[in-house]
Amino acid sequence: MTKPPLTLYLAAPRGFCAGVDRAIKIVEMALEKWGAPVYVRHEIVHNKFVVDGLRDKGAVFVEELSECPDDRPVIFSAHGVPKAVPAAAAAREMVFVDATCPLVSKVHIEAQRHADNGLQMIMIGHAGHPETVGTMGQLPEGEVLLVETPQDVATVAVRDPQRLAYVTQTTLSVDDTADVVAALQARFPAIVGPHKEDICYATTNRQEAVKAMAPKCDAMLVVGAPNSSNSKRLVEVGARAGCPYAQLVQRARDIDWRSLEGIRSIGITAGASAPEVLINEVIEAFSERYSVTRELVETAVENVEFKVPRVLRTPA
Ligand code: 0CH
Ligand code: SF4
C-alpha cells in the first residue's frame, strides 16, 4: 500500500535549552562524584523520560527537602527554590547543589534588589508553579503579590502605587504577558520592571518558531510534559496562530492518529525540557505511516550555553 504524502514542518529552535542542559549535567556529575543515591528536589526538569533516565542511574526525586536524609547530597531543580530551602539544607549541614537556571536566578536577584530599594513586588506567573513559588520565596511570605491575568491586575491591592516593581516567570506566553504588563502600567504608571518581561530567550524563540509554523500546518504536535509550562504555552501559541489542531504529546505512543486522519501537513516542535530523542521518535512514527517531506521552519539560531561547574562545589 502506498503511503499518503505528508509535509512535516519541524520548528527550530525546539527542545532543550541551555538551562535544562546544564541542570541535567549537574545531576549526572553529582552521581559521578558522590555515587548513588543523589537526591533531587522536584523533577530536575519537567520531563518523565529525563527523570526516569536519571532515576535509573541512582537519582532519587522528592518534592520536599524534609524527604531527604542529612547525609546524602541534594540538587535543587532548574526551576529554582525559595530562599528557605538552601537555608534549611545549610542548617542541616547537607551537601547541596543548586541547578536553578542562571536566567531564573537573575530574576531572583532582581526581586531582591527591588525589595532592597523599598519597592513592593508583583510577580506575573502561574500560581503554584515551582518557578513562581521559588521566585516569590526570595522575599518573606506575603511580600510578593501574584497576578496571572489583566483581571487580577484590576483588583490587586498594593501598599503604595508609587513604589512598585514587577518580575515574571521565564516560561510564560509572550503575548499574554504583554497584556498583563500593559494592564500593570496602565493602573500603576510608576511601576518599575525589566525592559519587557523576564521571559527567557528559549521560551521566546520557541514561541516565535511556532507562530511561523502554525499557519502552514493542518495539525501540530508539541513534544513535552503536561506539567511543563513552556511546552503548554507552545500548544496555545500554535492554536492561536491558526493551526486547527494543536496537541501536547509526551512521546510517539500518545499520538491520537484518528484525530489526524486526512491531514496533508503536520508541524512538530518540543518544549525546552523535551529531549531530541523523543522528537525523533515522533518523526519516525509519521515516517512509518506517511511519505514524509521534511521542511525546517527556522526563525532563530541559538548558541547559548551555560557553564556547568567543572567541579561541583557546595556553598561554603
Ligand atoms: O516550563 P516549565 O517552567 O514548567 O519547566 P520545564 O518544562 O522543566 O522546562 C525548563 C524550564 C525550567 C525553568 O525555567
Ligand atoms: Fe533557563 Fe529559559 Fe531554559 Fe528556563 S526555559 S531553564 S529560564 S533557558
Side-chain angles (χ1 to χ4, degrees):
M1 216 176 78
T2 55
K3 297 178 187 177
L6 182 79
T7 308
L8 187 152
Y9 295 103
L10 194 55
R14 65 176 175 280
F16 273 14
C17 61
V20 162
D21 194 54
R22 174 178 177 272
I24 295 170
K25 281 187 182 138
I26 287 176
V27 179
E28 288 169 346
M29 283 174 66
L31 284 163
E32 263 171 47
K33 182 177 164 95
W34 289 298
V38 161
Y39 284 72
V40 185
R41 185 189 175 281
H42 194 68
E43 289 189 342
I44 187 71
V45 299
H46 292 148
N47 189 274
K48 185 173 157 28
F49 183 86
V50 170
V51 166
D52 287 348
L54 292 171
R55 192 182 286 116
D56 287 346
K57 293 183 189 170
V60 177
F61 290 88
V62 295
E63 277 312 306
E64 293 301 336
L65 196 68
S66 55
E67 299 168 62
C68 305
D70 290 345
D71 61 351
R72 292 305 304 166
V74 58
I75 295 161
F76 306 143
S77 80
H79 316 91
V81 286
K83 264 192 185 154
V85 173
R92 287 169 59 188
E93 297 184 0
M94 294 171 77
V95 168
F96 61 94
V97 187
D98 189 356
T100 303
C101 175
L103 297 180
V104 174
S105 300
K106 189 175 143 236
V107 180
H108 290 181
I109 293 164
E110 255 173 50
Q112 183 65 63
R113 184 173 53 86
H114 289 313
D116 291 347
N117 289 335
L119 303 180
Q120 187 178 19
M121 290 304 309
I122 295 183
M123 168 148 200
I124 307 172
H126 296 298
H129 186 280
E131 183 180 329
T132 297
V133 172
T135 301
M136 292 176 75
Q138 297 309 298
L139 297 175
E141 178 109 39
E143 278 301 297
V144 183
L145 303 168
L146 180 68
V147 297
E148 296 191 56
T149 61
Q151 292 73 37
D152 292 344
V153 173
T155 55
V156 70
V158 303
R159 272 199 295 264
D160 176 356
Q162 297 304 317
R163 303 185 64 73
L164 284 178
Y166 71 91
V167 291
T168 78
Q169 203 177 318
T170 58
T171 51
L172 300 176
S173 149
V174 172
D175 295 335
D176 288 347
T177 307
D179 292 344
V180 183
V181 169
L184 279 174
Q185 287 168 338
R187 184 165 174 217
F188 309 116
I191 196 165
V192 174
H195 174 55
K196 274 160 105 184
E197 16 66 2
D198 297 301
I199 298 172
C200 75
Y201 81 95
T203 301
T204 308
N205 288 348
R206 280 151 192 66
Q207 288 178 17
E208 273 306 306
V210 163
K211 277 187 194 171
M213 184 175 77
K216 302 169 189 272
C217 307
D218 292 338
M220 198 188 103
L221 297 180
V222 177
V223 183
N227 59 340
S228 168
S229 166
N230 79 86
S231 307
K232 286 193 291 188
R233 301 296 81 80
L234 293 176
V235 176
E236 294 167 1
V237 168
R240 242 185 259 171
C243 182
Y245 176 93
Q247 194 69 45
L248 191 71
V249 292
Q250 302 206 53
R251 54 191 308 170
R253 63 169 174 244
D254 298 338
I255 301 171
D256 179 5
W257 296 105
R258 283 181 56 188
S259 304
L260 298 178
E261 264 168 33
I263 57 163
R264 315 243 332 149
S265 57
I266 183 85
I268 293 174
T269 188
S273 45
E276 191 70 12
V277 53
L278 297 184
I279 302 159
N280 288 335
E281 186 187 271
V282 168
I283 295 172
E284 197 44 48
F286 279 96
S287 302
E288 279 166 17
R289 290 167 174 79
Y290 296 90
S291 169
V292 167
T293 309
R294 265 203 221 193
E295 273 193 42
L296 193 67
V297 183
E298 187 169 53
T299 50
V301 175
E302 290 178 349
N303 46 23
V304 181
E305 226 178 286
F306 293 134
K307 262 200 206 136
V308 181
R310 269 202 308 148
V311 182
L312 289 186
R313 268 182 241 283
T314 56

